Amino acid sequence: MKKIYLLLFLTVFLYPLFGQQETVLVQGTASYVSSQNVYVKFPTTEGIEPGDTLFTQKEQVLKAALVVKDRSSTSAVCTSLLPEKVNAGDTFFARIPKKEAPKQPEQKIRADKTNTPTDSMPANAPVVITPEQEDKPVQDFKQKIRGRLYAASYSNFFRGEADHRLRYAFTMQGNNIGNSRFSTDAYVTFRHTAGEWNEVKENLADAIKVYSLAVKYDLDKQSSISFGRKINQRISSMGAIDGLQVEKGFGNFMVGGIAGSRPNFADYSFDVNLLQAGAYIGHAANKDGKMLQSTLAFVEQRNGGATDRRFLVFQHSSTPLKALSLFGSMEIDLFENIHNDRKSTVNLTNLFLSLRYNFSKKANLSVSYDNRKNIIYYESYKSYIDQLIEDETRQGLRLNVSYRPAKFITCGANLGWRFQKSDLNLSENLNAYLNFSRLPWLKAAASLTANFLRTNYLDSKIFGIRLSKEILPGRLNGEIYYRWLDYHYRNYENHFRQQIAGADVSLNLTRKLAFHLYYEGTFDKQNDTFTRLNTKIIQRF
């Protein structure tokens, strides 16, 4: 079976492209983010349809990020596919069919050719349309800097007691600073609990988290050198890499290498004892409306000089058909050390597959399969036998279907099934929803949800309703919601019932300065009220 998986992925890696209608990328910006929806502003949404996928782009790598639920003439209402939180100001791209340019006299075409934005791009590169780029010559290295600085408080109140946690964060992505070849990437946070400053002084690394801090130099449009901490999008399943990363492009192919270390397991700090090095080859193409990106990497990780792990990483994403999107990743371990018996092996460690198909503009289906296991580090953490006891195959199958019966109505369901060989961690989950992107009499959006969860030790039912509205256009947004919960642990006879009510207000003080206020109260029959109050102020630049 492992060989079948390997052959499957290597076949996809070499999978040839075939023709479809040529497309272009249109850039949009997230204008507002609620707990369920992301609103993306475009110059025009012509060519964007419900069910389409929006992408993020980093270092010439496209990643599926949002799914369009509904649209107006200039805005798209989306749901997120990303594990991380989407923020207002984030950039996304939609792939739309390219319009045929009207024919012009031959003399005029020659006169305008030097100003064609795509002349400096590879023949198979997608055209990116943005308001700033239209009708302007393209520089080889054009500065683009965006970032956020925010401070947030998280307060919990229960039975007369309160705790207050504070979090500060700085993020910045500076591409081609001063129109040069240098770029920077930073994401740093600092957090602490009020009244517990001694814990910060005892372990500063646990309070300060550096998720990304790197500088990059572009050798040319396809080659670069970077140094610092950053995630390599070609092999993103490895997480953050500390040290040197190099990539060289040859048309649609690239080769790269990494050399450095891994973050510390306990507090994510820099750890010179956890050395690692590796190399990868990849292929990326975007031709006739078809996108394909594949990477195969070999990596060795060490702990104090001894081999900790040696493995292959494979990552692939593509659109083999116009309505079909595919993503897959896997890791194959090539080394084991059992009772000091070191030898080479082939062990499929991680496998993740995701498939999405748009049947029409109104209906789509996605399926994902997760068979990722605990990683065994022979020089870190626990002994082999301890890891082996915990290392029964965790498997999960997830199915999502969405249908739009009317212009402003979307319904759908998510079905998740997690299982083990021993059935010790069985989980079945069903989540259904009905969304109204526009209620004419309220000029608001609403959603109804129902969630059913069954595990070996817990049964639960959750029903909810949510209403969001733009109170002052471009200035003030509000959201209220209510949820009813019924759950019980199988070892107890009593049911536990709770009611949760909350409200969220977002105020844009200026075009780049925003304030958020969030309240949630949890109530049960014992009259034990648990209250959360969060505030956040964000400065974008």
Side-chain angles (χ1 to χ4, degrees):
M1 182 63 68
K2 298 172 184 175
K3 293 182 179 180
I4 294 176
Y5 286 137
L6 181 59
L7 289 174
L8 172 64
F9 273 84
L10 291 179
T11 301
V12 172
F13 183 71
L14 300 174
Y15 158 74
L17 296 175
F18 50 90
Q20 282 187 357
Q21 182 180 8
E22 188 174 359
T23 60
V24 296
L25 294 180
V26 179
Q27 178 177 305
T29 303
S31 58
Y32 174 66
V33 180
S34 70
S35 58
Q36 286 192 328
N37 297 322
V38 179
Y39 297 80
V40 182
K41 192 80 170 179
F42 289 94
T44 176
T45 56
E46 183 180 357
I48 302 174
E49 300 294 342
D52 287 353
T53 301
L54 304 186
F55 302 86
T56 59
Q57 185 177 39
K58 188 172 183 180
E59 299 179 2
Q60 300 180 351
V61 177
L62 291 175
K63 178 182 179 182
L66 307 175
V67 177
V68 178
K69 294 166 55 179
D70 205 346
R71 68 176 179 88
S72 64
S73 59
T74 60
S75 184
V77 184
C78 311
T79 56
S80 177
L81 301 173
L82 299 172
E84 65 271 15
K85 179 177 174 57
V86 177
N87 297 284
D90 289 352
T91 300
F92 299 95
F93 296 89
R95 182 181 285 111
I96 65 173
K98 183 178 180 180
K99 292 183 178 180
E100 293 294 334
K103 293 184 178 181
Q104 301 179 16
E106 183 177 352
Q107 182 177 0
K108 182 174 180 60
I109 294 176
R110 279 197 294 266
D112 292 343
K113 187 174 182 180
T114 56
N115 291 325
T116 302
T118 57
D119 282 350
S120 61
M121 302 179 183
N124 61 349
V127 181
V128 179
I129 302 175
T130 65
E132 295 79 12
Q133 288 179 326
E134 292 177 355
D135 300 326
K136 292 183 179 180
V138 174
Q139 295 177 317
D140 286 341
F141 299 98
K142 184 177 180 180
Q143 174 178 289
K144 183 178 181 181
I145 299 177
R146 61 188 181 96
R148 290 180 295 118
L149 179 66
Y150 76 78
S153 66
Y154 304 89
S155 301
N156 298 324
F157 305 89
F158 183 66
R159 293 181 177 178
E161 297 184 358
D163 68 85
H164 308 279
R165 292 174 293 123
L166 303 174
R167 188 174 189 266
Y168 311 89
F170 170 75
T171 65
M172 187 188 77
Q173 185 173 351
N175 295 329
N176 305 118
I177 297 175
N179 297 330
S180 70
R181 296 172 182 262
F182 285 97
S183 301
T184 61
D185 187 13
Y187 180 17
V188 183
T189 68
F190 175 74
R191 60 182 182 179
H192 70 94
T193 301
E196 299 180 4
W197 192 251
N198 286 334
E199 294 183 1
V200 176
K201 293 189 290 185
E202 291 175 0
N203 188 1
L204 185 61
D206 191 48
I208 297 178
K209 290 291 185 292
V210 179
Y211 297 103
S212 176
L213 186 61
V215 60
K216 185 183 74 166
Y217 180 78
D218 293 316
L219 300 173
D220 53 49
K221 295 296 290 184
Q222 290 186 291
S223 307
S224 64
I225 299 176
S226 63
F227 183 79
R229 172 172 292 182
K230 66 181 299 184
I231 294 177
N232 190 318
Q233 296 300 317
R234 310 287 187 190
I235 44 178
S236 57
S237 64
M238 287 186 57
I241 299 170
D242 292 335
L244 184 68
Q245 301 186 47
V246 181
E247 182 172 294
K248 174 65 177 176
F250 304 92
N252 290 336
F253 293 88
M254 78 286 298
V255 295
I258 64 170
S261 61
R262 295 168 283 161
N264 183 271
F265 296 117
D267 56 22
Y268 213 63
S269 61
F270 177 75
D271 194 335
V272 71
N273 291 315
L274 302 178
L275 297 178
Q276 64 177 353
Y280 63 87
I281 60 173
H283 175 259
N286 192 318
K287 183 178 181 181
D288 297 331
K290 293 176 56 73
M291 180 271 293
L292 182 149
Q293 298 171 356
S294 299
T295 308
L296 178 65
F298 170 82
V299 181
E300 176 159 328
Q301 297 176 335
R302 299 193 167 222
N303 188 341
T307 299
D308 211 359
R309 190 181 178 213
R310 185 180 299 143
F311 59 103
L312 294 174
V313 181
F314 183 86
Q315 182 172 298
H316 172 84
S317 60
S318 65
T319 53
L321 300 174
K322 183 178 180 180
L324 181 66
S325 300
L326 172 68
F327 177 82
S329 66
M330 73 174 182
E331 295 180 7
I332 299 176
D333 278 49
L334 306 175
F335 169 82
E336 67 178 21
N337 180 6
I338 302 176
H339 302 303
N340 291 324
D341 180 17
R342 298 173 175 83
K343 62 181 180 180
S344 298
T345 185
V346 177
N347 180 28
L348 179 64
T349 307
N350 288 334
L351 175 65
F352 179 81
L353 295 172
S354 176
L355 190 70
R356 177 182 175 83
Y357 186 78
N358 296 326
F359 293 97
S360 66
K361 296 179 180 179
K362 293 185 176 183
N364 63 78
L365 173 71
S366 63
V367 181
S368 65
Y369 175 69
D370 188 343
N371 184 15
R372 289 176 283 190
K373 300 190 292 185
N374 291 328
I375 303 299
I376 297 178
Y377 293 102
Y378 293 100
E379 302 294 335
S380 308
Y381 282 143
K382 302 175 184 178
S383 66
Y384 172 78
I385 189 62
D386 291 333
Q387 285 281 5
L388 192 60
I389 292 174
E390 298 179 2
D391 196 32
E392 289 194 66
T393 302
R394 289 196 305 265
Q395 296 178 322
L397 183 65
R398 184 170 294 276
L399 175 69
N400 176 65
V401 60
S402 177
Y403 179 66
R404 186 169 64 95
K407 184 175 182 181
F408 302 117
I409 301 176
T410 305
C411 59
N414 302 297
L415 176 63
W417 182 31
R418 184 181 65 196
F419 49 93
Q420 280 187 318
K421 293 178 179 179
S422 60
D423 289 337
L424 291 176
N425 201 20
L426 183 67
S427 171
E428 298 172 342
N429 178 244
L430 172 64
N431 182 68
Y433 60 89
L434 177 62
N435 294 333
F436 302 87
S437 60
R438 186 179 303 172
L439 298 176
W441 57 93
L442 292 177
K443 295 183 179 180
S447 64
L448 303 173
T449 59
N451 183 279
F452 304 90
L453 175 64
R454 179 183 178 90
T455 70
N456 288 342
Y457 62 91
L458 176 69
D459 287 327
S460 72
K461 297 185 290 290
I462 304 174
F463 302 94
I465 182 172
R466 187 178 299 267
L467 183 71
S468 58
K469 177 179 175 59
E470 189 177 37
I471 302 171
L472 297 175
R475 181 70 66 176
L476 181 63
N477 296 279
E479 185 175 79
I480 57 174
Y481 63 90
Y482 171 82
R483 288 189 293 172
W484 182 84
L485 296 79
D486 182 309
Y487 61 95
H488 77 278
Y489 295 93
R490 296 191 174 185
N491 296 330
Y492 300 90
E493 295 183 358
N494 295 333
H495 281 70
F496 296 88
R497 292 185 174 90
Q498 291 181 331
Q499 300 181 71
I500 298 176
D504 186 1
V505 176
S506 175
L507 174 63
N508 294 321
L509 301 173
T510 66
R511 190 171 65 89
K512 295 186 177 181
L513 181 63
F515 175 76
H516 298 266
L517 177 64
Y518 168 82
Y519 163 83
E520 182 180 273
T522 302
F523 314 92
D524 57 33
K525 62 181 181 180
Q526 286 81 22
N527 295 319
D528 288 332
T529 301
F530 178 79
T531 303
R532 292 195 298 168
L533 183 64
N534 302 343
T535 63
K536 181 185 293 186
I537 187 165
I538 304 174
Q539 175 67 57
R540 295 187 294 272
F541 58 89

